[in-house]
Amino acid sequence: MTLARYDAASSLFRALAAPIRLAIVELLAQHDHLHVHQIVEAVGATQTLVSQHLRVLRQAQVVQRVQTGRDTTYRLSHPAARPIIAAALAARGS
C-alpha cells in the first residue's frame, strides 16, 4: 500500500472543503460550462472571491478554464467530482 494514492484523493477533498467551492462544483455539474459572471451571480459572491475559489479548484484539477478568444468559461474536469458532490449533498439531506 502506498500513501500516494490517498494523497491524490485527499487533495480532491481539500479542494472541495469550502462551501462556496462545493456550490461552484455543483453548478458546473449541472451545466456544460459557465462564465465567471454566471457563477458570481448564482453563488452571490464577489467576482474576486469566486476567482480565488476557481483558482483552488483549477489547481486541484477539479475545474478547467476554457479560453476561446476573449471568452472565458469554466467546466468540470475531474470525473469524480459529480458523484462525490451528489453523495455528500444527499447524505446531509440537501
Side-chain angles (χ1 to χ4, degrees):
M1 168 170 50
T2 66
L3 292 181
R5 175 179 173 207
Y6 299 103
D7 188 48
S10 67
S11 175
L12 173 61
F13 285 119
R14 281 191 304 273
L16 297 174
I20 191 168
R21 291 196 292 267
L22 285 173
I24 291 169
V25 172
E26 183 182 34
L27 272 170
L28 292 172
Q30 296 169 357
H31 302 277
D32 184 38
H33 58 85
L34 291 171
H35 292 269
V36 174
H37 71 278
Q38 292 172 304
I39 298 169
V40 166
E41 188 175 305
V43 299
T46 65
Q47 183 168 344
T48 301
L49 184 60
V50 168
S51 293
Q52 290 170 356
H53 285 288
L54 284 168
R55 180 178 41 81
V56 171
L57 292 169
R58 276 195 332 268
Q59 289 173 342
Q61 299 176 345
V62 175
V63 301
Q64 180 178 27
R65 179 175 40 197
V66 180
Q67 189 80 33
T68 309
R70 297 177 75 189
D71 195 31
T72 302
T73 59
Y74 286 86
R75 68 179 183 182
L76 210 52
S77 63
H78 200 294
R82 275 189 178 99
I84 289 171
I85 296 301
L89 293 174
R92 299 302 301 166
S94 302

